[in-house]
Amino acid sequence: MDLNRTAKSIADDCIGYRIRMLSRIFSRMYDDALRPHGVRFSQMNILTAVVLKGPIQPVEIGRLLSLEKSTLSRNVRIMEENGWLKSEPVSSGVGHRLRITKKGERLYHAAAPAWRHAQSQIEKLLGAEGARAISRVADQIQENE
């Protein structure tokens, strides 16, 4: 097989490429919707993890959201500077946990309708079956990790 045909085959058939492309497009849609609230999509996901599991150690958030340590650290620092999260020591004295602040709760409530709007737009693009398939695959992979 010649080089151009191989490249065309990879470009046309690569699932990884398509997933990354969709991830960037969908992240941009969430970011655009959340921008008026001053929060990014990645930060909204971190807030969600803290609301559901908090107080929670950053390493646990990283595992839950499959985030690299540097990405998580950068976002947490910004979120603490904005007053949305507060760090508190763990009772064992090793490490710290994050909890949402009152300011973070207000932001979360205010931004949730914008998130729902972006979610609705993405669900329309994917269709009900596509959205369910993505959720199903993500849940299966997460269960097996």
Side-chain angles (χ1 to χ4, degrees):
M1 190 180 267
D2 71 58
L3 191 60
N4 283 339
R5 204 164 358 147
T6 299
K8 176 132 175 63
S9 173
I10 290 172
D12 290 347
D13 300 333
C14 182
I15 294 168
Y17 164 77
R18 295 193 183 280
I19 288 171
R20 286 225 172 166
M21 178 188 62
L22 289 174
S23 176
R24 287 185 197 102
I25 291 167
F26 293 160
S27 291
R28 195 169 34 246
M29 291 173 72
Y30 284 111
D31 279 340
D32 289 348
L34 294 167
R35 187 170 293 112
H37 301 281
V39 65
R40 295 185 56 91
F41 175 53
S42 55
Q43 295 164 344
M44 191 72 170
N45 287 329
I46 293 167
L47 285 173
T48 299
V50 173
V51 168
L52 292 175
K53 305 283 186 177
I56 184 172
Q57 290 185 298
V59 69
E60 294 175 64
I61 295 171
R63 263 193 301 256
L64 278 171
L65 301 178
S66 295
L67 290 175
E68 291 182 20
K69 188 176 180 178
S70 61
T71 302
L72 178 62
S73 296
R74 183 179 61 252
N75 277 300
V76 166
R77 180 179 42 77
I78 292 167
M79 296 168 77
E80 286 179 313
E81 288 170 1
N82 287 331
W84 305 334
L85 292 178
K86 179 148 179 68
S87 181
E88 55 189 33
V90 176
S91 58
S92 68
V94 180
H96 65 281
R97 297 180 305 186
L98 297 169
R99 67 173 180 79
I100 193 166
T101 63
K102 292 292 182 196
K103 185 175 181 181
E105 288 177 9
R106 287 190 299 274
L107 168 73
Y108 197 79
H109 284 297
W115 175 90
R116 280 193 279 281
H117 176 73
Q119 177 80 359
S120 175
Q121 288 181 311
I122 291 167
E123 286 174 343
K124 285 178 188 169
L125 288 171
L126 290 170
E129 188 176 320
R132 279 193 302 273
I134 287 173
S135 292
R136 188 174 54 251
V137 170
D139 290 346
Q140 287 171 348
I141 291 170
Q142 212 167 26
E143 285 174 12
N144 294 320
E145 284 192 348

mmCIF file of all heavy atoms in Angstrom, residues 98-137:
data_model
loop_
_atom_site.group_PDB
_atom_site.id
_atom_site.type_symbol
_atom_site.label_atom_id
_atom_site.label_comp_id
_atom_site.label_asym_id
_atom_site.label_seq_id
_atom_site.Cartn_x
_atom_site.Cartn_y
_atom_site.Cartn_z
ATOM 1 N N LEU A 98 -10.391 19.131 48.915
ATOM 2 C CA LEU A 98 -11.034 20.323 48.376
ATOM 3 C C LEU A 98 -12.506 20.297 48.712
ATOM 4 O O LEU A 98 -13.150 19.245 48.662
ATOM 5 C CB LEU A 98 -10.848 20.378 46.860
ATOM 6 C CG LEU A 98 -9.407 20.484 46.380
ATOM 7 C CD1 LEU A 98 -9.340 20.253 44.874
ATOM 8 C CD2 LEU A 98 -8.824 21.838 46.745
ATOM 9 N N ARG A 99 -13.019 21.455 49.026
ATOM 10 C CA ARG A 99 -14.461 21.586 49.221
ATOM 11 C C ARG A 99 -14.918 22.826 48.473
ATOM 12 O O ARG A 99 -14.149 23.765 48.262
ATOM 13 C CB ARG A 99 -14.842 21.639 50.692
ATOM 14 C CG ARG A 99 -14.380 22.860 51.422
ATOM 15 C CD ARG A 99 -14.960 22.919 52.842
ATOM 16 N NE ARG A 99 -14.485 24.105 53.515
ATOM 17 C CZ ARG A 99 -14.969 25.325 53.322
ATOM 18 N NH1 ARG A 99 -15.958 25.521 52.472
ATOM 19 N NH2 ARG A 99 -14.478 26.363 53.969
ATOM 20 N N ILE A 100 -16.174 22.830 48.098
ATOM 21 C CA ILE A 100 -16.734 23.990 47.397
ATOM 22 C C ILE A 100 -17.084 25.059 48.432
ATOM 23 O O ILE A 100 -17.520 24.741 49.546
ATOM 24 C CB ILE A 100 -17.957 23.581 46.535
ATOM 25 C CG1 ILE A 100 -18.333 24.703 45.568
ATOM 26 C CG2 ILE A 100 -19.111 23.126 47.396
ATOM 27 C CD1 ILE A 100 -19.291 24.268 44.471
ATOM 28 N N THR A 101 -16.865 26.296 48.066
ATOM 29 C CA THR A 101 -17.183 27.421 48.945
ATOM 30 C C THR A 101 -18.596 27.927 48.627
ATOM 31 O O THR A 101 -19.216 27.495 47.637
ATOM 32 C CB THR A 101 -16.192 28.577 48.725
ATOM 33 O OG1 THR A 101 -16.346 29.044 47.375
ATOM 34 C CG2 THR A 101 -14.757 28.135 48.994
ATOM 35 N N LYS A 102 -19.071 28.851 49.427
ATOM 36 C CA LYS A 102 -20.379 29.470 49.138
ATOM 37 C C LYS A 102 -20.336 30.180 47.782
ATOM 38 O O LYS A 102 -21.286 30.108 47.008
ATOM 39 C CB LYS A 102 -20.780 30.458 50.250
ATOM 40 C CG LYS A 102 -21.085 29.801 51.550
ATOM 41 C CD LYS A 102 -22.360 28.982 51.441
ATOM 42 C CE LYS A 102 -22.706 28.360 52.775
ATOM 43 N NZ LYS A 102 -23.685 27.299 52.660
ATOM 44 N N LYS A 103 -19.233 30.862 47.513
ATOM 45 C CA LYS A 103 -19.085 31.530 46.219
ATOM 46 C C LYS A 103 -19.106 30.493 45.092
ATOM 47 O O LYS A 103 -19.718 30.716 44.045
ATOM 48 C CB LYS A 103 -17.780 32.326 46.187
ATOM 49 C CG LYS A 103 -17.594 33.155 44.940
ATOM 50 C CD LYS A 103 -16.347 34.023 45.022
ATOM 51 C CE LYS A 103 -16.194 34.866 43.771
ATOM 52 N NZ LYS A 103 -14.972 35.686 43.823
ATOM 53 N N GLY A 104 -18.473 29.364 45.295
ATOM 54 C CA GLY A 104 -18.483 28.286 44.308
ATOM 55 C C GLY A 104 -19.883 27.721 44.102
ATOM 56 O O GLY A 104 -20.283 27.414 42.981
ATOM 57 N N GLU A 105 -20.632 27.599 45.191
ATOM 58 C CA GLU A 105 -22.021 27.110 45.087
ATOM 59 C C GLU A 105 -22.865 28.081 44.273
ATOM 60 O O GLU A 105 -23.667 27.649 43.432
ATOM 61 C CB GLU A 105 -22.623 26.931 46.483
ATOM 62 C CG GLU A 105 -22.053 25.758 47.236
ATOM 63 C CD GLU A 105 -22.617 25.645 48.646
ATOM 64 O OE1 GLU A 105 -23.583 26.377 48.993
ATOM 65 O OE2 GLU A 105 -22.085 24.820 49.411
ATOM 66 N N ARG A 106 -22.703 29.376 44.526
ATOM 67 C CA ARG A 106 -23.466 30.374 43.757
ATOM 68 C C ARG A 106 -23.112 30.296 42.272
ATOM 69 O O ARG A 106 -23.994 30.346 41.418
ATOM 70 C CB ARG A 106 -23.225 31.787 44.310
ATOM 71 C CG ARG A 106 -23.900 32.049 45.640
ATOM 72 C CD ARG A 106 -23.851 33.515 46.040
ATOM 73 N NE ARG A 106 -22.505 34.031 46.201
ATOM 74 C CZ ARG A 106 -21.781 33.957 47.310
ATOM 75 N NH1 ARG A 106 -22.280 33.374 48.387
ATOM 76 N NH2 ARG A 106 -20.573 34.479 47.368
ATOM 77 N N LEU A 107 -21.826 30.187 41.978
ATOM 78 C CA LEU A 107 -21.386 30.051 40.593
ATOM 79 C C LEU A 107 -21.993 28.807 39.961
ATOM 80 O O LEU A 107 -22.509 28.854 38.844
ATOM 81 C CB LEU A 107 -19.856 29.974 40.520
ATOM 82 C CG LEU A 107 -19.314 29.541 39.153
ATOM 83 C CD1 LEU A 107 -19.470 30.652 38.129
ATOM 84 C CD2 LEU A 107 -17.874 29.094 39.269
ATOM 85 N N TYR A 108 -21.939 27.705 40.675
ATOM 86 C CA TYR A 108 -22.436 26.431 40.148
ATOM 87 C C TYR A 108 -23.924 26.532 39.795
ATOM 88 O O TYR A 108 -24.338 26.117 38.715
ATOM 89 C CB TYR A 108 -22.187 25.330 41.178
ATOM 90 C CG TYR A 108 -22.279 23.939 40.608
ATOM 91 C CD1 TYR A 108 -21.233 23.401 39.878
ATOM 92 C CD2 TYR A 108 -23.411 23.169 40.807
ATOM 93 C CE1 TYR A 108 -21.309 22.128 39.360
ATOM 94 C CE2 TYR A 108 -23.497 21.896 40.283
ATOM 95 C CZ TYR A 108 -22.448 21.376 39.566
ATOM 96 O OH TYR A 108 -22.541 20.121 39.039
ATOM 97 N N HIS A 109 -24.687 27.095 40.702
ATOM 98 C CA HIS A 109 -26.127 27.271 40.441
ATOM 99 C C HIS A 109 -26.364 28.205 39.252
ATOM 100 O O HIS A 109 -27.247 27.951 38.419
ATOM 101 C CB HIS A 109 -26.853 27.815 41.676
ATOM 102 C CG HIS A 109 -27.079 26.802 42.737
ATOM 103 N ND1 HIS A 109 -27.854 25.684 42.555
ATOM 104 C CD2 HIS A 109 -26.605 26.739 44.008
ATOM 105 C CE1 HIS A 109 -27.871 24.968 43.666
ATOM 106 N NE2 HIS A 109 -27.119 25.576 44.558
ATOM 107 N N ALA A 110 -25.592 29.284 39.174
ATOM 108 C CA ALA A 110 -25.773 30.256 38.090
ATOM 109 C C ALA A 110 -25.363 29.676 36.742
ATOM 110 O O ALA A 110 -25.988 29.966 35.716
ATOM 111 C CB ALA A 110 -24.959 31.523 38.378
ATOM 112 N N ALA A 111 -24.318 28.854 36.715
ATOM 113 C CA ALA A 111 -23.796 28.318 35.457
ATOM 114 C C ALA A 111 -24.532 27.067 34.977
ATOM 115 O O ALA A 111 -24.460 26.732 33.789
ATOM 116 C CB ALA A 111 -22.299 28.012 35.603
ATOM 117 N N ALA A 112 -25.231 26.389 35.853
ATOM 118 C CA ALA A 112 -25.893 25.135 35.486
ATOM 119 C C ALA A 112 -26.853 25.281 34.292
ATOM 120 O O ALA A 112 -26.844 24.417 33.400
ATOM 121 C CB ALA A 112 -26.612 24.533 36.691
ATOM 122 N N PRO A 113 -27.673 26.330 34.204
ATOM 123 C CA PRO A 113 -28.538 26.461 33.025
ATOM 124 C C PRO A 113 -27.746 26.600 31.716
ATOM 125 O O PRO A 113 -28.155 26.060 30.681
ATOM 126 C CB PRO A 113 -29.360 27.725 33.308
ATOM 127 C CG PRO A 113 -29.374 27.837 34.801
ATOM 128 C CD PRO A 113 -28.018 27.335 35.222
ATOM 129 N N ALA A 114 -26.606 27.289 31.761
ATOM 130 C CA ALA A 114 -25.760 27.414 30.566
ATOM 131 C C ALA A 114 -25.198 26.050 30.181
ATOM 132 O O ALA A 114 -25.142 25.696 28.996
ATOM 133 C CB ALA A 114 -24.634 28.412 30.813
ATOM 134 N N TRP A 115 -24.790 25.276 31.195
ATOM 135 C CA TRP A 115 -24.308 23.919 30.928
ATOM 136 C C TRP A 115 -25.425 23.091 30.289
ATOM 137 O O TRP A 115 -25.198 22.386 29.309
ATOM 138 C CB TRP A 115 -23.819 23.250 32.224
ATOM 139 C CG TRP A 115 -23.431 21.824 31.984
ATOM 140 C CD1 TRP A 115 -22.195 21.371 31.625
ATOM 141 C CD2 TRP A 115 -24.296 20.685 32.020
ATOM 142 N NE1 TRP A 115 -22.246 20.009 31.441
ATOM 143 C CE2 TRP A 115 -23.523 19.564 31.682
ATOM 144 C CE3 TRP A 115 -25.644 20.498 32.308
ATOM 145 C CZ2 TRP A 115 -24.049 18.278 31.625
ATOM 146 C CZ3 TRP A 115 -26.173 19.221 32.248
ATOM 147 C CH2 TRP A 115 -25.384 18.130 31.916
ATOM 148 N N ARG A 116 -26.637 23.181 30.838
ATOM 149 C CA ARG A 116 -27.769 22.414 30.296
ATOM 150 C C ARG A 116 -28.051 22.801 28.840
ATOM 151 O O ARG A 116 -28.390 21.948 28.015
ATOM 152 C CB ARG A 116 -29.025 22.611 31.154
ATOM 153 C CG ARG A 116 -29.022 21.757 32.398
ATOM 154 C CD ARG A 116 -30.384 21.718 33.085
ATOM 155 N NE ARG A 116 -30.672 22.863 33.923
ATOM 156 C CZ ARG A 116 -30.204 23.046 35.147
ATOM 157 N NH1 ARG A 116 -29.409 22.169 35.685
ATOM 158 N NH2 ARG A 116 -30.534 24.103 35.837
ATOM 159 N N HIS A 117 -27.899 24.077 28.519
ATOM 160 C CA HIS A 117 -28.116 24.540 27.149
ATOM 161 C C HIS A 117 -27.097 23.899 26.206
ATOM 162 O O HIS A 117 -27.466 23.385 25.143
ATOM 163 C CB HIS A 117 -28.035 26.069 27.081
ATOM 164 C CG HIS A 117 -28.153 26.601 25.687
ATOM 165 N ND1 HIS A 117 -29.343 26.610 24.995
ATOM 166 C CD2 HIS A 117 -27.213 27.106 24.850
ATOM 167 C CE1 HIS A 117 -29.134 27.104 23.786
ATOM 168 N NE2 HIS A 117 -27.850 27.417 23.676
ATOM 169 N N ALA A 118 -25.824 23.920 26.593
ATOM 170 C CA ALA A 118 -24.792 23.295 25.760
ATOM 171 C C ALA A 118 -25.039 21.795 25.650
ATOM 172 O O ALA A 118 -24.912 21.217 24.564
ATOM 173 C CB ALA A 118 -23.407 23.560 26.344
ATOM 174 N N GLN A 119 -25.397 21.174 26.749
ATOM 175 C CA GLN A 119 -25.689 19.737 26.758
ATOM 176 C C GLN A 119 -26.812 19.418 25.763
ATOM 177 O O GLN A 119 -26.720 18.472 24.991
ATOM 178 C CB GLN A 119 -26.091 19.308 28.171
ATOM 179 C CG GLN A 119 -26.482 17.862 28.311
ATOM 180 C CD GLN A 119 -25.304 16.925 28.414
ATOM 181 O OE1 GLN A 119 -24.147 17.345 28.369
ATOM 182 N NE2 GLN A 119 -25.587 15.653 28.533
ATOM 183 N N SER A 120 -27.837 20.229 25.759
ATOM 184 C CA SER A 120 -28.960 20.035 24.846
ATOM 185 C C SER A 120 -28.518 20.157 23.386
ATOM 186 O O SER A 120 -28.932 19.351 22.531
ATOM 187 C CB SER A 120 -30.054 21.049 25.166
ATOM 188 O OG SER A 120 -31.101 20.969 24.246
ATOM 189 N N GLN A 121 -27.687 21.151 23.093
ATOM 190 C CA GLN A 121 -27.189 21.319 21.720
ATOM 191 C C GLN A 121 -26.377 20.100 21.277
ATOM 192 O O GLN A 121 -26.518 19.631 20.144
ATOM 193 C CB GLN A 121 -26.309 22.570 21.628
ATOM 194 C CG GLN A 121 -27.045 23.868 21.713
ATOM 195 C CD GLN A 121 -26.074 25.035 21.596
ATOM 196 O OE1 GLN A 121 -25.044 25.077 22.267
ATOM 197 N NE2 GLN A 121 -26.402 25.977 20.730
ATOM 198 N N ILE A 122 -25.542 19.610 22.164
ATOM 199 C CA ILE A 122 -24.696 18.457 21.830
ATOM 200 C C ILE A 122 -25.544 17.210 21.663
ATOM 201 O O ILE A 122 -25.322 16.416 20.744
ATOM 202 C CB ILE A 122 -23.593 18.284 22.892
ATOM 203 C CG1 ILE A 122 -22.604 19.453 22.773
ATOM 204 C CG2 ILE A 122 -22.892 16.938 22.747
ATOM 205 C CD1 ILE A 122 -21.644 19.603 23.926
ATOM 206 N N GLU A 123 -26.534 17.022 22.518
ATOM 207 C CA GLU A 123 -27.421 15.871 22.391
ATOM 208 C C GLU A 123 -28.178 15.911 21.063
ATOM 209 O O GLU A 123 -28.390 14.866 20.438
ATOM 210 C CB GLU A 123 -28.400 15.805 23.562
ATOM 211 C CG GLU A 123 -27.737 15.347 24.845
ATOM 212 C CD GLU A 123 -28.652 15.413 26.053
ATOM 213 O OE1 GLU A 123 -29.708 16.113 26.007
ATOM 214 O OE2 GLU A 123 -28.309 14.777 27.070
ATOM 215 N N LYS A 124 -28.550 17.101 20.625
ATOM 216 C CA LYS A 124 -29.215 17.217 19.317
ATOM 217 C C LYS A 124 -28.277 16.814 18.190
ATOM 218 O O LYS A 124 -28.688 16.143 17.241
ATOM 219 C CB LYS A 124 -29.720 18.643 19.091
ATOM 220 C CG LYS A 124 -30.955 18.978 19.875
ATOM 221 C CD LYS A 124 -31.378 20.426 19.643
ATOM 222 C CE LYS A 124 -32.500 20.785 20.591
ATOM 223 N NZ LYS A 124 -32.768 22.224 20.596
ATOM 224 N N LEU A 125 -27.013 17.227 18.281
ATOM 225 C CA LEU A 125 -26.039 16.857 17.252
ATOM 226 C C LEU A 125 -25.791 15.348 17.226
ATOM 227 O O LEU A 125 -25.671 14.753 16.154
ATOM 228 C CB LEU A 125 -24.708 17.587 17.489
ATOM 229 C CG LEU A 125 -24.701 19.075 17.203
ATOM 230 C CD1 LEU A 125 -23.397 19.691 17.693
ATOM 231 C CD2 LEU A 125 -24.883 19.334 15.712
ATOM 232 N N LEU A 126 -25.698 14.746 18.388
ATOM 233 C CA LEU A 126 -25.407 13.317 18.472
ATOM 234 C C LEU A 126 -26.625 12.440 18.215
ATOM 235 O O LEU A 126 -26.485 11.305 17.782
ATOM 236 C CB LEU A 126 -24.863 12.969 19.868
ATOM 237 C CG LEU A 126 -23.479 13.466 20.213
ATOM 238 C CD1 LEU A 126 -23.202 13.237 21.696
ATOM 239 C CD2 LEU A 126 -22.444 12.758 19.356
ATOM 240 N N GLY A 127 -27.793 12.981 18.511
ATOM 241 C CA GLY A 127 -29.005 12.170 18.485
ATOM 242 C C GLY A 127 -29.082 11.361 19.771
ATOM 243 O O GLY A 127 -28.063 11.108 20.428
ATOM 244 N N ALA A 128 -30.270 10.934 20.138
ATOM 245 C CA ALA A 128 -30.473 10.207 21.398
ATOM 246 C C ALA A 128 -29.648 8.924 21.435
ATOM 247 O O ALA A 128 -29.007 8.611 22.444
ATOM 248 C CB ALA A 128 -31.958 9.903 21.597
ATOM 249 N N GLU A 129 -29.632 8.200 20.337
ATOM 250 C CA GLU A 129 -28.888 6.938 20.300
ATOM 251 C C GLU A 129 -27.386 7.173 20.440
ATOM 252 O O GLU A 129 -26.688 6.455 21.156
ATOM 253 C CB GLU A 129 -29.184 6.189 19.005
ATOM 254 C CG GLU A 129 -28.598 4.800 18.973
ATOM 255 C CD GLU A 129 -28.992 4.041 17.717
ATOM 256 O OE1 GLU A 129 -30.157 4.155 17.283
ATOM 257 O OE2 GLU A 129 -28.116 3.340 17.194
ATOM 258 N N GLY A 130 -26.865 8.189 19.762
ATOM 259 C CA GLY A 130 -25.445 8.507 19.851
ATOM 260 C C GLY A 130 -25.039 8.926 21.251
ATOM 261 O O GLY A 130 -23.995 8.503 21.759
ATOM 262 N N ALA A 131 -25.867 9.753 21.891
ATOM 263 C CA ALA A 131 -25.578 10.206 23.255
ATOM 264 C C ALA A 131 -25.587 9.020 24.221
ATOM 265 O O ALA A 131 -24.701 8.914 25.086
ATOM 266 C CB ALA A 131 -26.592 11.263 23.691
ATOM 267 N N ARG A 132 -26.551 8.127 24.073
ATOM 268 C CA ARG A 132 -26.611 6.939 24.941
ATOM 269 C C ARG A 132 -25.402 6.037 24.702
ATOM 270 O O ARG A 132 -24.831 5.488 25.646
ATOM 271 C CB ARG A 132 -27.904 6.159 24.706
ATOM 272 C CG ARG A 132 -29.107 6.736 25.428
ATOM 273 C CD ARG A 132 -30.287 5.765 25.433
ATOM 274 N NE ARG A 132 -30.712 5.375 24.100
ATOM 275 C CZ ARG A 132 -31.583 6.039 23.341
ATOM 276 N NH1 ARG A 132 -32.134 7.153 23.806
ATOM 277 N NH2 ARG A 132 -31.910 5.605 22.143
ATOM 278 N N ALA A 133 -24.995 5.890 23.445
ATOM 279 C CA ALA A 133 -23.844 5.035 23.127
ATOM 280 C C ALA A 133 -22.577 5.575 23.771
ATOM 281 O O ALA A 133 -21.781 4.812 24.344
ATOM 282 C CB ALA A 133 -23.672 4.910 21.613
ATOM 283 N N ILE A 134 -22.368 6.876 23.698
ATOM 284 C CA ILE A 134 -21.181 7.478 24.312
ATOM 285 C C ILE A 134 -21.207 7.258 25.825
ATOM 286 O O ILE A 134 -20.193 6.873 26.424
ATOM 287 C CB ILE A 134 -21.079 8.975 23.961
ATOM 288 C CG1 ILE A 134 -20.671 9.120 22.486
ATOM 289 C CG2 ILE A 134 -20.099 9.694 24.878
ATOM 290 C CD1 ILE A 134 -20.700 10.529 21.967
ATOM 291 N N SER A 135 -22.340 7.482 26.453
ATOM 292 C CA SER A 135 -22.448 7.279 27.898
ATOM 293 C C SER A 135 -22.195 5.822 28.269
ATOM 294 O O SER A 135 -21.485 5.537 29.239
ATOM 295 C CB SER A 135 -23.832 7.698 28.400
ATOM 296 O OG SER A 135 -23.984 9.090 28.287
ATOM 297 N N ARG A 136 -22.745 4.924 27.500
ATOM 298 C CA ARG A 136 -22.585 3.493 27.765
ATOM 299 C C ARG A 136 -21.114 3.077 27.677
ATOM 300 O O ARG A 136 -20.583 2.414 28.571
ATOM 301 C CB ARG A 136 -23.452 2.680 26.803
ATOM 302 C CG ARG A 136 -23.513 1.203 27.090
ATOM 303 C CD ARG A 136 -24.500 0.449 26.191
ATOM 304 N NE ARG A 136 -24.252 0.676 24.777
ATOM 305 C CZ ARG A 136 -25.032 1.402 23.965
ATOM 306 N NH1 ARG A 136 -26.130 1.968 24.424
ATOM 307 N NH2 ARG A 136 -24.732 1.547 22.695
ATOM 308 N N VAL A 137 -20.435 3.490 26.613
ATOM 309 C CA VAL A 137 -19.022 3.138 26.440
ATOM 310 C C VAL A 137 -18.181 3.758 27.551
ATOM 311 O O VAL A 137 -17.317 3.088 28.139
ATOM 312 C CB VAL A 137 -18.514 3.565 25.045
ATOM 313 C CG1 VAL A 137 -17.010 3.425 24.942
ATOM 314 C CG2 VAL A 137 -19.202 2.752 23.962
#
